[in-house]
């Protein structure tokens, strides 16, 4: 079925000329697949979905947008949890799914050149035969794309030691909002002048679309040691994290899960976690074998000192994989113990972990909602999962609690986001963290890149309209619920 787009047939034809007619989706039913990302509470069906096949077509599509004043949003795999790839009403989605070639792996200079639709894990798979890997590892790494990682400056369990996406991207080819193609940064990592690559990294798709990325590759570590430890309280596990860092050890990863998160993960993937314990830590060390062994002993002693009730050391690559399977499955697994949930993403200073978790528990109890916690403890990067049932009418309460938790992180000296971005979800909370002047500077930077304001508008920065008459999450119209009308 082909339905004429609300943008008008002239604009649609211009997109069809820039791409190919079959690469422009106008059928509202098919466009519905792109109505939201991983934050499913916000939904907007785009007017058109464009599926370019190369950078030249991305640039041509963006030029049509610029010429006709059409707002656009880039989309990778749509796993974003802050609504960054949420379509703009009356706009188009530009999917990068077809730009998925690994163009080059250079083992001598230890870098790879990839298109944006390549998944995070595919980069490591391409580098592995050379004894190399790509370090930032979001839990979604099997599906999320490097283009999305660049836009969100994504993190992951191993970013405590190795840094975030920004530390591993040497250069990006970018289609600017006027359709011109530029390269930011350089393949050697050297550059003169201001770091525009750094400005683009983490700009959440608001400054242009990246069509080619050069990333650093690291040598696969000689040795990796992983343990899973249970603790009688969150505070005890938090003290272990502080003591490990105080001992001068930089672990490759320190992840914490609480009772609810453990229960959900164990039910889903049977990874060998102890159901019912208040807290579990996954600690991983990597590096030269000798150094790893010595530090691993120190970590074990620190765990004992804080009342560790069970210490399971991975004795094989399979056991290590099982420990990580439990941790990495935790978000999705929560779906087994609750019909709906919001994933929050905030940061607090490491020393305030126990305090913030205590306060979150209190806020959850007050709201009458359960909150599961699974997080990058070493970074102080929390991921409270607010469990609710939309069918039981708990959505608004859960949304409010989730927002209050993010703002609590700011109050405790942390940040509104550690790695999932601000997107559509937390734009209205930005004034809690930044002054009016700070926000004005950000606005000016953005409008220098995108004077027409067409590139993913309504994200990251608060706008008076969005935050004043906040549209809120999608709620079905009573007629929709009655099956009388359908929302397209
Ligand atoms: C189960 C689960 C676990 C997760 N774990 C983590 C984690 O550990 N760490 C973490 O950081 N995140 C995590 N995430 C969030 C998400 O996977 C990341 O934000 C990821 O980087 C999004 O990639 P994507 O390809 O899905 O991007 P999308 O969701 O498609 O897009 C995200 C943003 O990037 C922009 N964008 C996409 N491609 C481009 C491009 N080529 N050029 C410019 N802008 C672009 C979009 O406009 C949007 O603003 C998780 C998500 C899920 C569902």
């Amino acid at each position: 079925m082909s339905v004429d787009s609300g943008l008008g047939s002239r604009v649609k034809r211009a997109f069809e000329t820039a791409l190919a007619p079959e690469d422009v989706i106008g059928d509202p039913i098919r466009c519905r697949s792109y109505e939201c990302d991983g934050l499913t509470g916000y939904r907007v069906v785009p007017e058109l979905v464009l599926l370019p096949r190369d950078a030249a077509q991305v640039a041509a599509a963006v030029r049509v947008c610029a010429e006709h004043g059409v707002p656009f949003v880039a989309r990778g795999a749509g796993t974003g949890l802050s609504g960054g790839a949420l379509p703009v009403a009356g706009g188009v989605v530009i999917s990068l799914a077809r730009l998925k070639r690994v163009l080059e792996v250079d083992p001598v200079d230890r870098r790879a050149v990839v298109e944006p639709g390549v998944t995070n894990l595919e980069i490591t798979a391409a580098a592995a035969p050379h004894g190399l890997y790509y370090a930032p590892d979001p839990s979604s790494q099997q599906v999320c794309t490097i283009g999305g990682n660049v836009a969100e400056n994504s993190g992951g369990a191993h970013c405590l030691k190795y840094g975030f996406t920004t530390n591993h991207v040497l250069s990006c080819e970018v289609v600017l909002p006027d359709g011109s193609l530029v390269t930011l940064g350089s393949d050697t990592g050297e550059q003169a002048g201001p770091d525009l690559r750094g400005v683009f990294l983490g700009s959440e798709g608001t400054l242009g679309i990246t069509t080619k990325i050069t990333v650093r590759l690291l040598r696969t570590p000689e040795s990796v040691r992983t343990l899973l430890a249970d603790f009688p309280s969150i505070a005890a596990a938090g003290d272990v994290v502080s003591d490990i860092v105080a001992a001068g050890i930089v672990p490759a990863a320190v992840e914490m899960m609480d009772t609810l998160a453990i229960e959900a993960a164990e039910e889903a993937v049977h990874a060998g976690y102890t159901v019912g314990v208040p807290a579990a830590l996954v600690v991983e060390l990597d590096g030269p074998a000798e150094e790893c062994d010595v530090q691993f002993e120190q970590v074990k002693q620190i765990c004992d000192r804080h009342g560790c009730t069970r210490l399971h050391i991975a004795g094989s690559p399979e056991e290590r994989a099982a420990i990580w399977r439990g941790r990495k499955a935790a978000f999705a697994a929560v779906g087994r113990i609750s019909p709906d949930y919001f994933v929050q993403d905030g940061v607090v200073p490491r020393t305030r972990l126990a305090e913030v978790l205590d306060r979150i528990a209190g806020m959850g109890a007050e709201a009458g909602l359960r909150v599961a916690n699974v997080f990058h403890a070493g970074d102080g990067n929390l991921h409270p999962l607010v469990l609710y049932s939309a069918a039981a009418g708990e959505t608004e309460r859960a949304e409010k609690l989730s927002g209050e938790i993010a703002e609590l992180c700011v109050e405790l000296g942390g940040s509104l986001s550690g790695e999932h971005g601000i997107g559509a979800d937390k734009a209205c909370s930005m004034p809690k963290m930044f002054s009016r002047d700070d926000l004005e500077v950000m606005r000016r930077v953005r409008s220098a890149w995108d004077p027409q304001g067409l590139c993913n508008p309504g994200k990251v920065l608060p706008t008076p309209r969005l935050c004043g008459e906040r549209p809120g999450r999608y709620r079905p119209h009573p007629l929709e619920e009655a099956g009388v009308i359908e929302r397209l």
Side-chain angles (χ1 to χ4, degrees), residues 449-463:
W449 289 59
D450 180 22
Q452 290 196 83
L454 297 176
C455 189
N456 207 5
K459 312 293 165 57
V460 187
L461 295 177
T463 65

Side-chain angles (χ1 to χ4, degrees), residues 9 96 128 195 325 330 370:
S9 49
L96 283 307
D195 181 10
R325 200 165 56 245
R370 294 182 298 167

Side-chain angles (χ1 to χ4, degrees), residues 285-450:
L285 302 181
D286 68 7
E290 220 171 304
E291 178 187 303
C292 240
D293 289 349
V294 171
Q295 293 190 340
F296 202 67
E297 283 310 310
Q298 283 175 275
V299 169
K300 278 162 49 186
Q301 284 166 16
I302 294 171
C303 288
D304 282 344
R305 235 183 12 246
H306 290 283
C308 171
T309 48
R310 175 192 170 227
L311 192 85
H312 167 59
I313 297 168
S316 65
E318 292 71 32
E319 283 183 21
R320 173 180 177 242
I323 292 176
W324 279 112
R325 200 165 56 245
R327 164 60 186 88
K328 295 209 171 190
F331 284 7
V334 163
R336 289 180 166 250
I337 59 167
S338 174
D340 304 288
Y341 63 93
F342 291 124
V343 181
Q344 192 43 275
D345 161 48
V347 182
V348 291
R350 227 176 359 235
T351 46
R352 305 194 80 168
L353 273 177
E355 178 187 354
V356 75
L357 292 170
D358 210 40
R359 284 183 65 180
I360 290 172
M363 288 158 75
E366 209 171 292
L369 295 168
R370 294 182 298 167
V371 182
N373 289 287
V374 44
F375 55 98
H376 309 310
D379 298 299
N381 184 187
L382 303 170
H383 292 314
L385 297 131
V386 178
L387 316 192
Y388 69 100
S389 161
E394 294 172 348
T395 310
E396 269 178 57
R397 223 177 333 137
E399 185 182 4
K400 184 163 170 284
L401 173 61
S402 181
E404 284 170 357
I405 290 173
E407 293 180 5
L408 171 67
C409 291
V410 177
E411 187 192 313
L412 295 182
S415 162
L416 279 176
S417 170
E419 53 184 16
H420 294 176
I422 300 297
D425 190 28
K426 286 184 274 190
C428 296
S429 296
M430 286 288 271
K432 295 273 176 203
M433 186 164 167
F434 295 102
S435 71
R436 192 190 284 256
D437 289 349
D438 293 336
L439 292 171
E440 183 53 27
V441 170
M442 292 182 210
R443 253 185 221 111
R444 286 186 190 189
V445 170
R446 185 159 167 178
S447 66
W449 289 59
D450 180 22

